Amino acid sequence: MFLNKPLWRTLLWCMLLCAANGAYGQDTVVIRGSSFGTLHEVSLRDSLWFFHAGELPQGKRSLNSTNGWNALHYTAFGKSDPPPGWQGLGWFGLWLKVDTNLVGKKLSFRINHDGASEIFIDGKQVGGYGKVGHSAQQMEAIRAPRDLIPLWFNDTRPHLITMHYSNYFGVYANFLGFEALIGDYEPFSKHITHSRQLFSFVPMCAAAEIILGVLHFLLFLFYPRQKLNLYYALFVLLVGINSICIYLFYFTSFPLVQYYADFLTQECKVLMMWGAVMLLYVLDYGRVPRWRVVALTGVNMLYFIGYFLNYFILRANVHDDYFSVVFFVCIMDGFWSAFHLIKKKQRGVWLIATGVVAVVLVYFFAWADVFHLWTYELNSVRVFVMSIGQLILPLCLSLYLALDFARTNQNLAAKLAEVEKLSAQALAQETEKRERIAAEAKRLEEIVQQRTAELSEKADKLREMDVVKSRFFTNITHEFKTPLTLIINPANELLSVATGTDATKYIRLILSNAARLLRLINQLLDLSKLESGLMEVSREPLDFVALIRMHIHSYESLVVQKGIRLHFASDWDKLWIPGDRDKLDKIILNILSNAIKFTDNGRVEVLLQKDTGAPGNVLSITVRDTGRGIPASKLPYIFSRFYQADPSDTRSAEGTGIGLAVAKELVELMGGQIRAESMEGLFTEINIRMPYQVAEAGGSPLAETVYSEALYSTNADDSALPVVDTDKPLVLLIEDHDELREFMQQSLTGKYRVISAADGDAGIALALEHIPNLVITDLMMPRKDGYQVSATLKKDEKTSHIPIIILTAKADMDSKVQGIETGADAYLGKPFDKRELFALIENLINVRNQLREHYSSRDLWFSDVLSMPSIEQDFIARVRNAVESHLDEEGYSADQLARDIGLSRTQLHRKLKGLIGQAPGELIRIIRLQYAHNLLLRRVATVSEVAYMVGFSSPASFSASFSRHFGFAPKTVGVM
């Protein structure tokens, strides 16, 4: 009653604090300077820890107390002895204090684990490794057994070390937990540095071993008869790989990598024994007895398979497998072979004996440590000795092989002297042979002269035949012009009187393609004239600048349409020269049209300049584009007749390979030169240099004739009509020729719904999006050709059922067979009859409808699924499994089924309708009823129970649906 309230509260808090310190004091680990010993470190794994399974409760996460946590006396636990409640994640706490000698001294904290950790001292995070997660997918496991976390304790009070730790992988079955260690930072840091220096020799030795192995393997490739080099290379490469695995085992940050390195070290140990013994066998026997090879290989295979099963199947702890005994027996048997060589007094064999003895000593005294000579702190020294020792046998063998090679060279030198002696004898015989050969050569020369005369005669006949061919070619080309004239002129007359939009469009289509064919015929005639030397050059005054401007103007609408720029620059405003207007037109048009045709973005530049570096008057015309370019390997051939840089079926531009050949020959006919430069993907530049003379201004004005052809045309709606669910079949048309695509689309529209694409990639995308009833595809298209379209759609389960028609001008049997092999259902050659195409479409759609009706009748597709193609069987099986896995879910809908299958609802609906004629909702109901029928037939449950088991909301609705589907009530199943 004499104490005031603040003083009373102070005394109460002091009493509670003393009680708390007394409680924790009995659970506190005391670290003293004398605890460190020779290792300067002490392990905490057997100390008293406190453990809390899983995460701490929300809002109660305190890292300053272990109240309510379970006691734990061993942290390096495995799958056989986990703490209570351990599911891969938990909190571990340890109360620790230091004596007065360690207050303020720099200490080290080290942790060895195969999981992920966050380390706290008195609630403050001081380190951690990896990423702690609530599942194996969220966790990132990291090892850091040689990383030191510096610690300082400024008093002797208890401090709480807390670890947030997770390990879901269990790389090593007997090491799910961790080992924490605390030590004196400075001396232990020096120990770690020294250990790393010793370990750094391991990869250096591995590199030396691998270099030796590769060197001797190359020697074997150059001289395969010396099998010793092969076995030596195999053995040394295995030693090098083993050294790399040892280094990874100790220094990798990833537990799984350490586990695989440990496994490979064991396997390399077995293979190294096999390689060493086989090497010794080959040294003695040359050809090793088969029974020895079989016995040695059998023993090695047992260990090889045993280690694999132990690491990846059984996941058992390491046990004594007596490999050291087997190793000693096998290596002694191999050493017996080396002893045979010693008895034969073969030079240098003592090197092999030394290497074998070194292998035995290294294995028993360092690798396996049979006699337990190496303590924990000397482990790095043991690995260093083992790495250096593994080099002894390869070095000894290399010296032995080098000495053997030197002896072989001496023997070869002796043989060479003998060969020289024999060569002198053979020289005399050779002289006699030469005289005979000279006589024979004279006789052959006479025969060659005779054959040459015969070939000359045949060449004259071939030239005569070539003239006949050229004459025939010219005549038949002229003959083409008459029917073309009768096509173009009546079409022009029809165009002037046509009234309907469709009629006008078709007539313009006829005229455009007739003009295109006429230009091709004129080019062929020019080639024929140039070949026969009948082409003449006329000279009339013309303004060459105006001529080029006129042609550039004719391409303005096309370049605007393609979104590129066309630029012209000239050193003259006007340049009057005597020239051949027709030939200059053809040269400029061919070069300019090619540049625009193969440029999809950027610009085309035309430069007209005076060539000041050439004597006399020489003009230079340069056409440079930023198109796709020409490969360097094909550039020398672009001016050859009928050559195309891209002859594939997927080229993006049409052509015959005539234009540049005609341009080149016309330029050379007028005394000029033409050359090309290009870099694939960047640019192409055509340069023409031609002599000229200045003419008087005048002459006839240039006619405004449009010479360019519509290389490209736009189609505002490439995919035609949006997909609407009507009764008309949906047809996908894939054709890169715009006019033909538009014509076919108009022809098909009315009887079918049509969507279209201009290349193979776009066609495949539309097919996967809309699931049409039929696909019509051209063969030769950009990006993907018809074969690739057919193969892609037939291999995709969304579109594998769709009939495909391939249209092409390739009518040969090989092309047809290739199309059928890719899965195409029909192959129609161009030009085709519209009636034939419609008949083919109707036939394929009817066949598909018949198959759909066949499978849609009752539950036939359940029992007759094996008659479907394999890809359709797999799809049906996936659908049925998805539904059966949700049988008891009343709300399982078509949307959920589509998500489970990986399709959109529309895609699933069209696929099932096209395949078995059933909608997804109807299919779900049929599968439920079929499953219910089987349950009732096996008397698994009552009708009411079965109704709920298959996802019906009530037995009444189930009975009604069952009766409608099967024609009898569910209660009669098994009774009838």
Side-chain angles (χ1 to χ4, degrees), residues 562 593-600 625-629 652-654 711-712:
K562 295 193 69 177
S593 64
N594 265 10
I596 296 173
K597 181 192 299 184
F598 294 105
T599 302
D600 297 324
D625 65 72
T626 58
R628 66 200 64 173
S652 58
E654 297 179 342
L711 301 175
Y712 298 88

Side-chain angles (χ1 to χ4, degrees), residues 51-63 67-69 84-92 116-118 120 131-135 138-139 162-168:
F51 169 69
H52 184 284
E55 286 290 3
L56 295 174
Q58 290 290 338
K60 297 183 179 181
R61 177 173 171 175
S62 173
L63 302 183
N67 290 335
W69 294 21
W86 171 259
Q87 296 294 330
L89 177 68
W91 288 84
F92 297 82
S117 61
E118 295 174 352
F120 303 85
K131 180 182 178 182
V132 179
H134 295 83
S135 65
Q138 296 177 352
M139 188 190 83
T162 314
M163 264 192 57
H164 190 200
Y165 179 68
S166 64
N167 187 351
Y168 294 93

